[in-house]
Amino acid sequence: MGLRPARTVAELEELRDLTGDENGAQRVAWTDTWETARDWLRGKVAETGAAEQIDEAGNQWFTLPGASERALLIGGHIDSVPNGGWLDGSLNVVAGVEVLRRIAAEGRPALTVRLVNWADEEGARFGRSLFGSSAAAGSMADQEELRQRRDSDGVALPDALRERGVDLDGALEARSQLASAAAYLELHIEQGPVLEALDLPLGVVLGTFGVERHQVTWKGQAAHAGSTPMDKRRDALAAAAKLALEIRPIAAEVGGGAVCTSGGVVCRPGIVTSVVETAEQLLDQRHLDAGELARLLALAKEASKRFAREEDVEVSWERIWSIEPILFDEGLVELADESIREVSGTSHRLPSGPLHDAAEVARAGVPTVMLFVQSLRGLSHTRLEDTKKEHLELSVQALDTLATKALAQLG
Ligand SMILES: [Zn+2]
């Protein structure tokens, strides 16, 4: 029995009907609806004979033993945000079931094949994304902080996890799951507009962007809007506005997919009759290359000093958050490129703006690659999230082709 990509689409619709409502998907991690989705998945995998295991972090694993204990991993997340879409995360889990079926029907594979449904990728209930994958990757280092987290009803994170059989203190024991991993494959909707603009169904993901997030504080002098001549002003907002525009040529100069966003400016005193004394500006810069990311930041800092001089104000920078770029495996990127070309004729390589479970797995040293399938209108995390059925079917084929190539190369 061969691969049946149309079955994946039908099963995704079945999952949507089972775990969504008129507002969208409701598979928020650690809730009853999430448990319903995990039960449903268990039922789908049963016919392949793959053995189920829930690890110490709540990740759901299905293992099809192969000639070697080394394992090819296929992963996604069945959890969603509240009022979410039908494809984000669940596409790869359900496509992975179809690939497992195809492999199981052909007899014992060269490598062990494992499907993983990561626990709480979205962090929708407690504000902590990539819970299960970061535990398995060994990069989870915020247990103290997690212990304090509560949901909007006041339920503490450790209590919600305990209800699902997970002990927060033991979550890092899930690390043992990646010990035998030879490669990790993840198919995901793009959640952006790039593939649709190129009119391509599929692309290979090169890695996830590194991010630099800063607060830039500008200090001038509050002064009366009527009595202060234009050339005597120390206007903090004027300097912030210059930087908000300057990040465009900076992104263009650095290139390579660089993106910069001035996401907000808070002005004080913030009244119509005063020059702005303080402007607190939020800046987010992203690049796939660590050196180029550093250059984006350096150029913006340099420009800010120039604008501070021009407007006679002071400027200071404070880092809010940062993460380094995480690059996927070159060999697997090549295989993924070939797979997409075989299935749909043309491939495209692109970075991922959002983080994914795959980034955690790659960070743990497991050779990793992701496939993106086109998102309609670039929308995600809403019930309007959608992808053409023919593109979903192509994506299942591409994942299956990639799995076949990876098994041949690693086996
Ligand atoms: Zn996702």
Side-chain angles (χ1 to χ4, degrees), residues 6-29:
R7 174 159 56 182
T8 302
V9 178
E11 287 176 339
L12 282 163
E13 288 168 342
E14 192 183 316
L15 179 67
R16 177 179 61 187
D17 294 345
L18 180 70
T19 57
D21 58 24
E22 69 280 9
N23 297 313
Q26 306 297 348
R27 298 182 299 273
V28 175

Side-chain angles (χ1 to χ4, degrees), residues 46 49 64-65 84 171 237 261 278 350:
L64 206 60
L237 176 59
T261 306
T278 308
L350 71 170

Side-chain angles (χ1 to χ4, degrees), residues 77 79 87-90 121-122 186 188-189 191 355-357 381:
H77 60 95
D79 73 305
L87 300 171
D88 178 1
S90 55
E121 190 271 351
E122 298 285 3
E186 185 172 334
H188 205 281
I189 52 168
Q191 304 176 283
L355 280 170
H356 288 286
D357 292 309
H381 286 196

Side-chain angles (χ1 to χ4, degrees), residues 254-310:
V254 172
V259 285
C260 307
T261 306
S262 171
V265 182
V266 174
C267 296
R268 287 177 231 289
I271 54 173
V272 73
T273 52
S274 175
V275 171
V276 172
E277 179 162 279
T278 308
E280 291 168 354
Q281 181 170 29
L282 297 172
L283 191 66
D284 177 293
Q285 300 179 294
R286 302 184 188 216
H287 205 287
L288 192 59
D289 180 275
E292 297 293 51
L293 181 60
R295 195 154 78 91
L296 278 179
L297 179 58
L299 287 171
K301 282 190 173 173
E302 218 174 277
S304 75
K305 284 181 194 147
R306 194 167 77 241
F307 300 143
R309 275 197 305 277
E310 288 171 11

Side-chain angles (χ1 to χ4, degrees), residues 105-375:
E106 289 175 4
R108 199 174 161 85
L111 258 62
T112 295
V113 180
R114 306 184 75 199
L115 176 65
V116 54
N117 170 23
W118 297 112
D120 203 358
E121 190 271 351
E122 298 285 3
R125 186 168 166 193
F126 293 101
R128 171 38 158 109
S129 304
L130 307 174
F131 178 90
S133 55
S134 68
S139 59
M140 178 185 278
D142 53 353
Q143 277 91 337
E144 273 315 308
E145 199 209 317
L146 290 177
R147 234 182 293 285
Q148 312 304 324
R149 289 204 183 222
R150 289 174 184 275
D151 69 9
S152 55
D153 295 327
V155 177
L157 180 146
D159 296 339
L161 268 57
R162 201 171 302 119
E163 239 182 88
R164 305 292 162 196
V166 172
D167 170 20
L168 176 63
D169 294 319
L172 272 166
E173 300 296 317
R175 262 181 305 193
S176 62
Q177 297 292 339
L178 293 184
S180 60
Y184 176 79
L185 314 178
E186 185 172 334
L187 164 67
H188 205 281
I189 52 168
E190 183 199 340
Q191 304 176 283
V194 174
L195 292 172
E196 189 180 31
L198 291 168
D199 199 20
L200 291 175
L202 295 160
V204 187
V205 187
L206 293 166
T208 55
F209 274 151
V211 183
E212 284 282 1
R213 252 174 230 167
H214 291 257
Q215 177 170 309
V216 187
T217 304
W218 306 88
K219 271 206 181 314
Q221 177 63 56
H224 196 286
S227 63
T228 317
M230 297 307 287
D231 63 344
K232 298 284 186 292
R233 295 179 178 214
R234 302 180 57 214
D235 185 345
L237 176 59
K242 284 183 171 179
L243 184 63
L245 294 177
E246 186 67 13
I247 57 177
R248 296 172 178 180
I250 289 173
E253 184 189 330
V254 172
V259 285
C260 307
T261 306
S262 171
V265 182
V266 174
C267 296
R268 287 177 231 289
I271 54 173
V272 73
T273 52
S274 175
V275 171
V276 172
E277 179 162 279
T278 308
E280 291 168 354
Q281 181 170 29
L282 297 172
L283 191 66
D284 177 293
Q285 300 179 294
R286 302 184 188 216
H287 205 287
L288 192 59
D289 180 275
E292 297 293 51
L293 181 60
R295 195 154 78 91
L296 278 179
L297 179 58
L299 287 171
K301 282 190 173 173
E302 218 174 277
S304 75
K305 284 181 194 147
R306 194 167 77 241
F307 300 143
R309 275 197 305 277
E310 288 171 11
E311 299 299 328
D312 194 19
V313 299
E314 285 158 27
V315 64
S316 60
W317 285 67
E318 188 192 345
R319 177 178 275 138
I320 302 169
W321 185 74
S322 69
I323 188 168
E324 71 279 17
I326 295 158
L327 293 175
F328 293 151
D329 183 76
E330 278 178 36
L332 286 175
V333 166
E334 283 300 328
L335 281 192
D337 218 28
E338 275 175 34
S339 305
I340 290 175
R341 274 186 272 120
E342 280 177 29
V343 164
S344 68
T346 313
S347 180
H348 178 70
R349 298 179 179 210
L350 71 170
S352 171
L355 280 170
H356 288 286
D357 292 309
E360 288 290 353
V361 180
R363 199 136 75 132
V366 178
T368 293
V369 75
M370 288 186 80
L371 303 176
F372 272 171
V373 63
Q374 188 191 110
S375 290

